[in-house]
Structures are given as structure tokens and as C-alpha cells.
Amino acid sequence: MRKLFIPSKENHYKPILLRKVALVTYTIILAFVNTFGGFLGIPQAMASSITPSNIIMLTNQERAAVGLNTLNTNAKLAAAATAKANNMFEEQYWDHYGPNGETPWMFITQAGYTYVYAGENLAKGFRTAEGVHEAWMASPTHKENIMSGKYKDIGVAVVEGTLLGKETILVVQMFGNPTTQTFSPTTTVKSNTDTVTKPIVPSIKESGEIKSISITNPKMGELIDDANVDIKGETSNITGEYTVEILNSDSIVGETESSTKDWQFDKGSDWEEGEQDIQAKIKGENIKSDVVTFTIDSTPPKVDQSTITVKRDTQYIELQFSYSSDTTELKFVTGDKTFDLELTEENIATLNIPKEDISDRSVLMATDEAGNISEIDISEYFLEGDEDSTDFGTNLVLWLRNVIGTTDGISLIIVGFVFILLSIEIYVYWRKGRLGKSAGELFTVGAWWLIILVGVFKGFGGLV
């Protein structure tokens, strides 16, 4: 083993696994896997950093930067996006409109969302949420959707599969607004809440002034699904620099400085789940705001996967499972069809689905009052003869396949392995004082490794 990994006299200070023959072997394996992996059933894309929450976060950051309202995560639009992605995989097309007359609005309506304004963005072949978002923002038509003041709600689906003969990741972003209310950007106001115009209220003018401080965000009684919310406020008749102390249930949690009437406090870490009683105070003075009570709920509701059962008869399949008590909405998406599940006092949901409606892709979606959404792919439960295929061993195999058993995963394993060997070799040469004598050989291996690394990370772009 020592001859394989570590430079020594036995291997003439050339580890067998870093010799030219070994490098050629690695190159052949990489070329073969990445070229013919599809024919071998090895998917191209590995587990991706693209998630619906990441896409929504980047979208809202972009909107907030210009003072637009941030979009609310909507379960119906998320279900519509999932159904659209499934339909593209099933019908093998890449377009806003399908070969059988499918339209984005069809999926939105079927999911139960009634809209006045609606829009859709698509992307495929990307491997990071940032890559998708940057490409959309570079495209005028996609950017128009992201930055439109017509929308209030958003739903995103990220689905992996084979499209037109190639393993890829589809991202579907749905926008909607069930009302005629629209919003305008502003360069002076950046808020996590909808911008509204306050009515002018006649008042009696009096002389004099009062120093005061108030919290403008969050609002009293607000339910928030982001545990990293900032506290914002304003002061009146306070000049120069001042410090605002933030209290939570009379305990100081931090402070912030300002020299204008507006101030903002970033806690620097997530707020705890549950109810918060926040008050702002001018440091060194007895000037306090009213207490603002809001609730943090950033935890999605849960579907107890161990309770999922599937029963078959001649025409129907019965799906049953239990879910957490904070669930306010349940949807089952199979292919391009969406089914609503009735909530019960026992927190047990049951749905009878016609056999012909079951697709290769089936997802359970649970939503809570704050808008948090959890999604579980339960496609494997509907495989004929595999009712018991959801044991721990099967789930472990599926997880390993998704993360490791891909061309990207294999490529990164080889590149990482060579990097470890190269690091060991450099360390041993340094300890033995042979680093200078072996510089040429190390440069050759290092250059090969760098070229392969660049090749592995190629293709991080995609299509929108």
C-alpha cells in the first residue's frame, strides 16, 4: 500500500498511483464516463445547489434592492411549477407552450390559483441557483418577470430528469397576482412588505416637538417565514448620531447606529422560532417604541414518510399518510395533474387516485400558514410490486445514486483523490528535502490536475 500512495525508496519516490500510466488511466476513465455515461445509465447532473428557496431568495433580494414588494411563496404556484416541469419531461419539450396545446396558465389554473396577472420563467442545464438567476437577469424578458410590479406571489420547482436524450435539471418559476393591485419600485424605500400609500389625515397643527422612536418592520402580529428578518424603524426630532438598542422581552439583543431618521438592525444570526416581543430604545435616554409582537415560523410542515401507505384495487390507488398539525394545505402532484387533499382533525390524509392518472413523477407538497413548503418525491411508492421498497436500505441506495452515482460525482471523486495524493507527495518531498529536485514532476502532475479540474467544472451554464 505504501508503494501506491507515498513516495519512498521502494517506489523510487514516485507513487504508483501518480505515475504517468495512472494519470492516463484516470483520463481515460473520466473521458469514458463523461462521454458514454448516458448510455450506461449514469446521470450527468449531481445533487444541485439549485433549490426553490434559493431561487426565491435571490428573486426577492433583487426586488428589494429597488424597493419592490417581495413575493410570497405560494403553494398553488409551486404545484403548478412542478406540474409544468413534469409535463416537459413526459412530453419531451422545452418551451412555454407544449406540443398538445399546454400553456403556463393551464397549469396555474389547474393548481387552483385564480390570477389577474401571471408569468413564467424557465431554465435548464444550470447547476447553481446563482447561475440561473444571473442568466434570467441578463435576459430582458425573464428580468421583466422578476422585476415586475404586477406580481405578489411566486412558486418554483426544481426537477431532475432526462429531456431530449440528456440528463438535466429543469427550473420552473411561476409568478401570480390574484388582485389588480400593482406595485412600483422606489429608490428610497426598501421593505419586506408591500408598499402602500398612507392617506392624508387632517390634524390640528401645534407648536413644539417630541422625540420618539418607532418600529416600522416587522408589523404588529406579522407571521414571518424568514428567521433572518431585519428590524427597521424611524425616529423623530433626534439629530446627530444616535444608537438604537433592540430589546426582546426586555432583554437587549443588540444595537445599531444611525445619523438619519431611519435605522435598521441586523441581528447577525437567525431569530428563534416562535413569538418575539421587540422594542426599540434610544441608548442613554428614556425614549422607547411600542412593543411589536411578531412570530417567526421558518420550519416547513412535515409529512411522516414512515406512515405513507399505498393500496391498490382494480381502478384506484389509495394514498394515506400522516402530517404535522401546523399544515394548512396539502397537494399531490403526479405528472401534470394536481390533487388537493382534505385536512382532518387526526392529521391523517387519504386520497384515491385513478390508476391511469399516476405518472412516473409524484410529489407530496405540504404548506403551513407562514407559507413554508415541504416537498417529498414519492414516485417509488407507486412502482408495481414495490410497496415495501421504501425501507432504509433502498433509501440509502437512492441517496448514494443521486449524490455519487453521476458523471459529475465520479469526476469529482477522481479529481479529489488525485488532489489528496498530490498533497501527500508534496508533503513527503518537503519533509525529505527533495521538493526542489522533484519540481518538474510535481508541476506536470499539478498541471494535469488543474486542466482536469477545469474540465470537470465546465458546463456550469445552461439555457433560459
Side-chain angles (χ1 to χ4, degrees):
M1 292 294 292
R2 183 181 178 87
K3 293 181 180 180
L4 295 175
F5 296 97
I6 301 174
S8 61
K9 290 183 179 180
E10 289 83 356
N11 56 27
H12 305 289
Y13 292 97
K14 291 184 179 180
I16 295 174
L17 292 179
L18 275 183
R19 292 180 179 179
K20 292 179 180 179
V21 173
L23 297 183
V24 170
T25 302
Y26 301 146
T27 305
I28 293 173
I29 293 173
L30 287 168
F32 182 80
V33 168
N34 284 273
T35 303
F36 302 105
F39 296 103
L40 300 175
I42 304 174
Q44 180 183 7
M46 64 180 177
S48 173
S49 64
I50 306 176
T51 64
S53 59
N54 286 343
I55 295 292
I56 293 171
M57 177 191 68
L58 291 169
T59 299
N60 278 333
Q61 284 179 353
E62 203 76 56
R63 293 174 66 89
V66 297
L68 270 171
N69 63 303
T70 53
L71 303 176
N72 302 313
T73 303
N74 185 276
K76 292 181 175 67
L77 288 178
T82 301
K84 173 60 180 286
N86 288 345
N87 185 254
M88 283 193 287
F89 278 124
E90 289 180 358
E91 300 297 333
Q92 290 295 294
Y93 70 96
W94 166 243
D95 204 326
H96 292 289
Y97 299 91
N100 302 314
E102 299 95 338
T103 70
W105 336 121
M106 180 189 79
F107 297 104
I108 293 174
T109 302
Q110 286 179 352
Y113 188 93
T114 303
Y115 63 88
V116 175
Y117 302 105
E120 177 187 75
N121 280 347
L122 302 177
K124 71 170 181 176
F126 290 88
R127 303 183 189 181
T128 66
E130 290 77 10
V132 173
H133 181 72
E134 289 172 7
W136 277 340
M137 290 301 294
S139 166
T141 54
H142 296 84
K143 180 179 179 180
E144 184 178 354
N145 271 338
I146 291 174
M147 305 303 291
S148 174
K150 294 180 179 180
Y151 302 131
K152 294 179 67 175
D153 302 320
I154 187 173
V156 176
V158 180
V159 184
E160 183 177 345
T162 303
L163 184 66
L164 303 175
K166 184 178 180 180
E167 282 287 328
T168 191
I169 295 174
L170 289 182
V171 184
V172 180
Q173 186 180 44
M174 295 285 197
F175 303 90
N177 184 351
T179 73
T180 57
Q181 182 186 18
T182 59
F183 309 88
S184 300
T186 171
T187 56
T188 58
V189 178
K190 295 180 181 180
S191 173
N192 287 334
T193 58
D194 295 346
T195 301
V196 297
T197 302
K198 294 183 179 179
I200 299 175
V201 180
S203 60
I204 300 174
K205 292 184 178 180
E206 296 184 33
S207 60
E209 61 183 33
I210 298 175
K211 291 183 176 181
S212 65
I213 183 171
S214 61
I215 295 174
T216 59
N217 183 74
K219 304 296 185 185
M220 185 68 176
E222 190 171 0
L223 179 62
I224 302 173
D225 62 358
D226 183 1
N228 196 29
V229 63
D230 289 347
I231 309 299
K232 301 178 183 179
E234 60 184 19
T235 58
S236 177
N237 298 313
I238 295 177
T239 59
E241 292 189 359
Y242 60 93
T243 300
V244 178
E245 293 179 331
I246 304 298
L247 296 84
N248 190 1
S249 300
D250 296 326
S251 298
I252 297 177
V253 295
E255 59 183 41
T256 184
E257 295 181 352
S258 179
S259 58
T260 67
K261 72 180 185 67
D262 298 311
W263 54 268
Q264 180 172 330
F265 171 70
D266 180 358
K267 188 170 180 287
S269 61
D270 289 347
W271 294 90
E272 292 183 1
E273 295 279 303
E275 191 173 270
Q276 316 292 327
D277 295 315
I278 303 298
Q279 188 175 38
K281 177 182 181 296
I282 301 296
K283 188 174 183 178
E285 300 188 45
N286 190 28
I287 302 172
K288 298 181 180 180
S289 71
D290 291 335
V291 174
V292 173
T293 301
F294 64 95
T295 303
I296 295 290
D297 180 6
S298 60
T299 305
K302 293 182 179 179
V303 170
D304 188 348
Q305 197 161 358
S306 65
T307 65
I308 295 177
T309 60
V310 172
K311 298 179 181 178
R312 296 177 173 84
D313 61 25
T314 55
Q315 294 182 321
Y316 289 90
I317 294 179
E318 181 187 84
L319 171 66
Q320 189 175 83
F321 59 91
S322 63
Y323 54 89
S324 57
S325 59
D326 59 337
T327 304
T328 58
E329 192 171 13
L330 284 170
K331 288 185 179 293
F332 172 67
V333 181
T334 181
D336 59 4
K337 293 182 174 61
T338 302
F339 298 86
D340 292 309
L341 286 85
E342 184 177 350
L343 302 179
T344 65
E345 293 183 359
E346 298 81 13
N347 296 329
I348 297 176
T350 303
L351 179 66
N352 286 303
I353 315 135
K355 278 189 173 182
E356 63 269 18
D357 286 342
I358 296 296
S359 172
D360 292 338
R361 300 173 183 277
S362 298
V363 178
L364 270 178
M365 304 176 67
T367 311
D368 62 16
E369 187 179 355
N372 299 299
I373 300 175
S374 63
E375 297 184 18
I376 300 179
D377 188 329
I378 60 171
S379 306
E380 63 199 84
Y381 288 83
F382 299 98
L383 298 176
E384 289 287 349
D386 279 347
E387 290 89 345
D388 299 325
S389 66
T390 55
D391 54 59
F392 176 79
T394 301
N395 287 332
L396 179 61
V397 170
L398 289 172
W399 181 84
L400 290 172
R401 179 187 180 278
N402 289 334
V403 177
I404 300 174
T406 64
T407 57
D408 283 340
I410 293 171
S411 298
L412 288 177
I413 288 172
I414 292 175
V415 170
F417 175 68
V418 174
F419 176 77
I420 293 172
L421 291 179
L422 186 59
S423 300
I424 294 174
E425 186 173 23
I426 292 173
Y427 176 75
V428 172
Y429 283 155
W430 173 71
R431 289 294 302 269
K432 293 184 176 296
R434 300 176 58 90
L435 200 57
K437 297 179 181 179
S438 306
E441 179 185 345
L442 291 173
F443 177 81
T444 300
V445 178
W448 174 89
W449 179 84
L450 184 61
I451 292 170
I452 295 297
L453 181 67
V454 172
V456 167
F457 283 98
K458 68 177 175 61
F460 268 71
L463 298 176
V464 297

